[in-house]
Amino acid sequence: MMALVGLVLLIACTNVALLILARCAARQREFAIRIATGASSIRILRQLAFDSFAIVFAGAGLGWLLAIAATRLLARWARIDAGLAPDRHVLWFTLAVASLVAIAFSFTPFSQTLHISPDQALRSTSQTASPNRHHTRVGNLVIAFQIAMCFILLVAAGLTVRTLLNYEHVDLGMQADQFLIFDLEVQGLTGRAQSWSYYNRLMDRLRVVPGVKSLSPVVWRPGSGWLKSGGANLDGTILLDSSGRHADISFNFIGADFFHAIGVPMLQGREFDVTDTPSSKQVAIVNQTFARRYLPNGALGHIVDNAEIVGVVRDSKYKFAAETDRPTVYYSIAKSGMEGQITFEVRTPMPPLSLLPDIRNAIHEIDPNLALQKPMTQAAQFEQSYTTPMLFARLALAFGALAVVLVATGLYGTLTYRLQRRRNEIGVRMALGAMRQDVLLMIFGESMRIAVIGFGLGLPLSLVVAHLLRSQLYQLNAFDATSFTASLVITLLLSIGSALLPAYRASQINPMDTIRNE
């Protein structure tokens, strides 16, 4: 993330560099006359430094005010709970960067000014204003560098946004957007019998709430990142993995009709029902991965940790959206005691959050002091499991968009300034027979050559950035062709759009006006 911020900062600094160099180039005649009439070098440097510091620090001050408002909007858009407001460390860093930029941009034009000989002050305006080839090449490289940085940022944004889309479209194995989840923690319950009786009375009341289609409790909330894991005993034998160590099995405690509530189908056997009570025989349900790995010839009737397997359920995501399928055993919540915090899964055909007022009222009828904890949809809960990739994708997209704006304004401004200095040259060309389309193609071709250099610089660097981003990607190749192609097209359109209008204006120059000026 800091690397992406650094790229945006480099683009902004090069824009300021082009601006100040262009201003100083336009004032070369003024500087030459002042030097010829006795102005000292220190006086010229002082004026350049004052101009640079005024521009840079005014920009830094306005940027600081903008950052305070922008970070609030960015935090809301990126769904960040923590504050992003810039603090004094950010302020000192901003001032340090602004000072370095101002100093650098003061000495660079000053060194150019010292090479102006006094006789240049007596030359014609057109001669003094003619562009220097060395400066033009340096400017071309700076513009190409900006295009390269923009291309890199767009590649990073494309990869992270496509990763976010993969997260949002991942198959969770359940109908996560159709049910509401919330936690309850009842104080003062002692013993399995008392807690079982209390929660059964509570669930009977909740099931008659209008809009509740099904309801089931669970100990560890799906999508929360938590699930008990450890070794397991199958038919009296300790389960081992391929390396000979104890197999790592996930465990959870669920209520009756849990899988029906979350929309995960049973493949074999049955779900837990009202006959599974604290006093009944201990039973278990295993998922498809457990059955395929350890009981390929049939799972029903086998004993896992003193519980008889009565069903096999299809695999689904549980801890987080990006997890791989792992062997899981589900036990009846009636055997866990239902003490402490319990999560409830409520399936409804209605908008899930619209049930909250009626559910709160129903709960308060049973216990006025009992409060719902962390109510949300199941889809929102799974969304929290990829908060970091979501944040990275949204920020990368914001930085990519900012880079496009900065490069577009910088490229357009630079090309417009250059063509303004070449008005006489272009007018003479047209007076000698050059057609308007010839001028348009000449200017446009020069701009496209710069863009090609930018792509040449940006492509290998973007491959390095993509390789570094691979740990942040989900179900996506770091060298994704779609992301690279889209970034190339956007950068190309940006280059064409920024060059087309100045080139068109150059082709509309009246040659008679330039000849009169000359």
Side-chain angles (χ1 to χ4, degrees):
M1 187 60 66
M2 287 301 299
L4 298 184
V5 175
L7 293 181
V8 175
L9 180 61
L10 282 175
I11 293 174
C13 287
T14 52
N15 267 358
V16 179
L18 290 172
L19 167 67
I20 293 179
L21 290 176
R23 285 165 56 91
C24 292
R27 298 175 64 186
Q28 281 185 2
R29 179 177 172 81
E30 172 198 341
F31 291 142
I33 293 176
R34 294 181 63 181
I35 291 175
T37 54
S40 65
S41 300
I42 297 300
R43 188 178 183 87
I44 299 294
L45 176 61
R46 188 165 59 242
Q47 181 178 351
L48 290 173
F50 178 81
D51 291 346
S52 298
F53 273 88
I55 293 173
V56 172
F57 276 91
L62 292 173
W64 181 258
L65 296 177
L66 176 64
I68 295 174
T71 48
R72 294 174 183 170
L73 296 175
L74 185 61
R76 189 178 305 133
W77 178 61
R79 303 178 189 177
I80 306 172
D81 295 329
L84 289 183
D87 57 14
R88 66 178 183 275
H89 300 290
V90 180
L91 175 60
W92 285 116
F93 175 78
T94 303
L95 292 177
V97 171
S99 301
L100 291 175
V101 170
I103 293 172
F105 295 163
S106 300
F107 280 98
T108 303
F110 176 68
S111 64
Q112 297 175 3
T113 302
L114 293 180
H115 290 86
I116 302 175
S117 58
D119 66 313
Q120 284 182 291
L122 304 177
R123 296 183 182 178
S124 67
T125 303
S126 61
Q127 287 174 311
T128 307
S130 59
N132 181 287
R133 285 189 176 182
H134 173 71
H135 296 166
T136 301
R137 292 194 189 100
V138 172
N140 289 344
L141 287 176
V142 172
I143 296 173
F145 172 79
Q146 284 191 318
I147 293 174
M149 296 302 101
C150 181
F151 180 67
I152 293 171
L153 284 166
L154 288 175
V155 168
L159 290 173
T160 53
V161 168
R162 279 178 56 79
T163 291
L164 179 59
L165 293 176
N166 288 342
Y167 274 113
E168 292 179 345
H169 292 91
V170 67
D171 182 14
L172 298 174
M174 63 180 70
Q175 299 164 346
D177 57 344
Q178 293 185 359
F179 55 95
L180 172 74
I181 58 175
F182 57 87
D183 295 341
L184 294 176
E185 187 169 2
V186 183
Q187 304 295 329
L189 295 179
T190 58
R192 292 184 180 180
Q194 183 185 9
S195 60
W196 179 252
S197 175
Y198 178 91
Y199 276 110
N200 270 322
R201 185 161 59 96
L202 180 62
M203 288 188 290
D204 288 342
R205 177 62 185 89
L206 291 176
R207 287 190 178 100
V208 298
V209 172
V212 175
K213 190 173 182 180
S214 60
L215 170 74
S216 184
V218 60
V219 171
W220 284 286
R221 174 187 286 220
S224 64
W226 292 95
L227 200 60
K228 183 180 179 181
S229 62
N233 188 299
L234 180 62
D235 295 330
T237 304
I238 296 176
L239 291 176
L240 303 176
D241 58 19
S242 57
S243 63
R245 294 177 296 183
H246 287 191
D248 190 22
I249 309 296
S250 296
F251 302 95
N252 203 355
F253 296 90
I254 62 175
D257 297 325
F258 173 77
F259 296 111
H260 173 71
I262 65 174
V264 179
M266 297 294 299
L267 302 180
Q268 298 177 34
R270 67 173 180 89
E271 278 205 69
F272 300 140
D273 54 33
V274 294
T275 64
D276 297 303
T277 65
S279 59
S280 64
K281 182 178 65 173
Q282 175 74 302
V283 291
I285 296 172
V286 298
N287 71 340
Q288 189 176 359
T289 298
F290 185 98
R292 183 173 55 249
R293 184 173 301 178
Y294 301 114
L295 299 168
N297 298 322
L300 300 184
H302 289 269
I303 306 298
V304 54
D305 288 339
N306 300 318
E308 180 184 351
I309 299 175
V310 296
V312 178
V313 68
R314 196 184 75 176
D315 289 334
S316 62
K317 306 295 184 181
Y318 201 95
K319 293 173 65 176
F320 43 85
E323 71 176 336
T324 56
D325 295 328
R326 54 180 297 159
T328 306
V329 180
Y330 300 92
Y331 299 107
S332 172
I333 200 171
K335 295 292 186 179
S336 73
M338 297 188 73
E339 298 175 5
Q341 183 174 282
I342 301 294
T343 298
F344 285 86
E345 307 276 344
V346 180
R347 186 175 182 181
T348 175
M350 302 168 55
L353 296 180
S354 67
L355 294 180
L356 284 176
D358 292 337
I359 287 179
R360 284 194 177 97
N361 292 335
I363 291 175
H364 289 165
E365 291 178 12
I366 304 297
D367 186 348
N369 298 319
L370 192 58
L372 274 70
Q373 300 177 18
K374 297 186 292 185
M376 64 181 70
T377 65
Q378 185 64 73
Q381 179 65 69
F382 271 106
E383 190 176 276
Q384 289 185 1
S385 69
Y386 53 88
T387 300
T388 298
M390 180 189 299
L391 168 64
F392 193 81
R394 291 176 181 272
L395 292 179
L397 182 60
F399 292 142
L402 181 58
V404 168
V405 173
L406 289 174
V407 172
T409 54
L411 186 58
Y412 173 78
T414 302
L415 293 178
T416 300
Y417 164 75
R418 283 186 175 183
L419 293 177
Q420 186 66 27
R421 299 190 70 197
R422 296 178 63 186
R423 285 182 64 86
N424 290 354
E425 173 202 336
I426 295 172
V428 171
R429 285 176 179 268
M430 297 179 70
L432 294 176
M435 305 296 292
R436 295 188 186 278
Q437 57 267 30
D438 296 331
V439 174
L440 181 64
L441 290 176
M442 178 187 71
I443 302 300
F444 188 73
E446 292 175 359
S447 302
M448 288 303 97
R449 282 193 289 273
I450 298 174
V452 170
I453 296 173
F455 290 132
L457 293 173
L459 183 58
L461 293 176
S462 64
L463 294 175
V464 174
V465 170
H467 180 72
L468 295 175
L469 282 175
R470 68 190 186 281
S471 62
Q472 296 289 329
L473 306 181
Y474 174 63
Q475 294 184 349
L476 187 70
N477 191 325
F479 309 113
D480 176 56
T482 302
S483 299
F484 276 81
T485 302
S487 302
L488 179 63
V489 171
I490 294 174
T491 311
L492 183 61
L493 291 176
L494 167 66
S495 303
I496 292 174
S498 301
L500 201 55
L501 184 57
Y504 174 77
R505 287 179 177 174
S507 67
Q508 302 302 308
I509 292 175
N510 187 339
M512 295 305 299
D513 292 339
T514 58
I515 290 176
R516 291 192 191 100
N517 292 334
E518 186 67 20

